[in-house]
Amino acid sequence: MKPTLFVLAAGMGSRYGGLKQLDGLGPHGETIMDYSIYDAIHAGFGKIVFVIRKDFEQDFREKILSKYEGHIPVEVVFQSITDLPEGYTCPEDRTKPWGTNHAVLMGKNAIKEPFAVINADDFYGRNAFEVIAKELSRPRDRKGDYCMVGFRVGNTMTENGSVARGVCSTKDGNLESVVERTAISYDKEGRIVFTDENGTEQTLDPATPVSMNLWGFTPDYFDYSEREFRRFLDRDINTPKSEFFIPLAIDTLIKSGEASVKVLDTDSKWFGVTYAADRPGVVEKFAQLHADSTYPEKLF
């Protein structure tokens, strides 16, 4: 059974300004998503499912989905802040989406096979798709047998400001914990640093694995997620900015012993448009990837 690629495309790029999912960055106006879909097809994925906002649908179908016709089956599901489990009602003052793991839950009825989750606006690189497709394609005999691609933090930095990364601790190749660090940057000496919760500056080895939201799950994850989302809502439904993130659910499942997450290494270099100042560099990188024949002149 070929794995499915689940693309989280419901967010607005608040720091960048506008819908960066539709921004043409390649030589022929390709979006970052186009490269992810191209790489996923070549890595052996069999279907693409996008989660988007309903008000984004017409634009999305016309500008994005039409180009994939004939290349790979595609489905669309929608994320809405009012889409909550039975017995829960969205607070009237809630405007913020419920987070990445709520977006994943929207795929429950569309995905019946092992699947990878990615952000729409991140470039992950071909090797990352190859290693996770291979892992998702192997037989499994238990629930909670998951994986993630651990990018080397030195391959995920921007020169234009700080970044947020899920810094991973591993044991015997499996994930022990993910700690979100919100302001990782280069210091004057070119070291990768962040300030911890005690106000102390810490240095990260460039090879430290970080989560870039490239996860691999089997469909049983939807049931675990729904249970954990109910628990989240019981605690935080009335906290306007609370979000149900994938690492939050994963951490709970690892600690309870219900899941293990194999950390897959990749030499792929992540890049994306976190800040508007990142855009020219990303355009240049895509031009180079076409020039050296990593990608053909036209993807689709």
Side-chain angles (χ1 to χ4, degrees):
M1 184 181 292
K2 288 186 174 184
T4 286
L5 184 67
F6 192 22
V7 184
L8 308 185
M12 284 278 279
S14 56
R15 281 178 295 182
Y16 180 53
L19 289 169
K20 53 185 171 179
Q21 291 92 340
L22 295 183
D23 195 4
L25 299 166
H28 298 282
E30 296 90 349
T31 67
I32 288 180
M33 263 193 302
D34 291 338
Y35 292 95
S36 293
I37 304 307
Y38 181 89
D39 286 340
I41 291 170
H42 286 262
F45 284 83
K47 182 175 74 174
I48 312 293
V49 177
F50 293 93
V51 57
I52 64 172
R53 297 193 319 272
K54 184 67 177 174
D55 64 320
F56 187 27
E57 182 181 12
Q58 185 174 349
D59 246 6
F60 196 81
R61 289 189 182 278
E62 290 175 359
K63 296 179 181 178
I64 300 291
L65 298 194
S66 58
K67 70 183 80 173
Y68 307 139
E69 287 179 3
H71 294 282
I72 191 168
V74 173
E75 291 186 44
V76 174
V77 296
F78 303 102
Q79 183 182 20
S80 166
I81 60 171
T82 60
D83 201 334
L84 300 181
E86 189 175 348
Y88 296 87
T89 303
C90 183
E92 288 184 10
D93 61 347
R94 178 84 188 192
T95 57
K96 193 174 185 65
W98 291 106
T100 51
N101 213 52
H102 177 255
V104 170
L105 270 172
M106 300 303 101
K108 183 175 183 177
N109 295 324
I111 300 174
K112 307 299 180 187
E113 52 282 316
F115 64 101
V117 176
I118 67 167
N119 294 332
D121 46 12
D122 288 321
F123 176 82
Y124 292 99
R126 183 162 306 158
N127 180 253
F129 287 100
E130 290 170 348
V131 298
I132 200 165
K134 181 179 179 182
E135 175 66 16
L136 289 173
S137 298
R138 69 168 173 81
R140 282 168 166 73
D141 57 8
R142 63 180 174 88
K143 293 182 177 180
D145 188 355
Y146 307 143
C147 61
M148 63 161 280
V149 175
F151 282 77
R152 302 166 195 172
V153 67
N155 285 340
T156 75
M157 300 295 290
T158 174
E159 301 285 348
N160 297 307
S162 63
V163 295
R165 298 286 180 259
V167 178
C168 301
S169 297
T170 62
K171 183 179 180 180
D172 300 326
N174 286 332
L175 186 66
E176 276 197 310
S177 67
V178 181
V179 178
E180 188 73 10
R181 299 298 183 185
T182 54
I184 301 173
S185 62
Y186 290 113
D187 68 7
K188 291 178 181 177
E189 283 74 46
R191 297 174 302 179
I192 300 171
V193 298
F194 69 91
T195 302
D196 66 17
E197 53 275 10
N198 300 315
T200 304
E201 186 174 87
Q202 303 285 353
T203 303
L204 286 174
D205 185 291
T208 302
V210 295
S211 168
M212 299 303 299
N213 234 23
L214 178 42
W215 300 91
F217 299 121
T218 46
D220 56 89
Y221 185 67
F222 292 119
D223 293 329
Y224 285 132
S225 289
E226 188 159 319
R227 182 193 73 192
E228 293 307 315
F229 188 43
R230 288 175 177 273
R231 291 175 177 173
F232 165 84
L233 292 172
D234 289 339
R235 293 190 310 268
D236 294 317
I237 192 168
N238 291 312
T239 306
K241 293 191 175 182
S242 59
E243 290 187 73
F244 182 48
F245 294 117
I246 294 171
L248 182 70
I250 286 294
D251 189 56
T252 301
L253 296 176
I254 290 173
K255 287 177 177 171
S256 70
E258 292 170 289
S260 62
V261 180
K262 184 177 181 180
V263 179
L264 310 172
D265 182 44
T266 181
D267 59 8
S268 284
K269 292 187 176 182
W270 171 95
F271 56 83
V273 183
T274 305
Y275 302 96
D278 293 330
R279 191 182 190 281
V282 170
V283 169
E284 188 177 325
K285 286 179 176 125
F286 280 133
Q288 185 58 47
L289 287 168
H290 284 271
D292 66 18
S293 298
T294 300
Y295 293 103
E297 183 181 350
K298 290 196 174 184
L299 298 182
F300 299 102

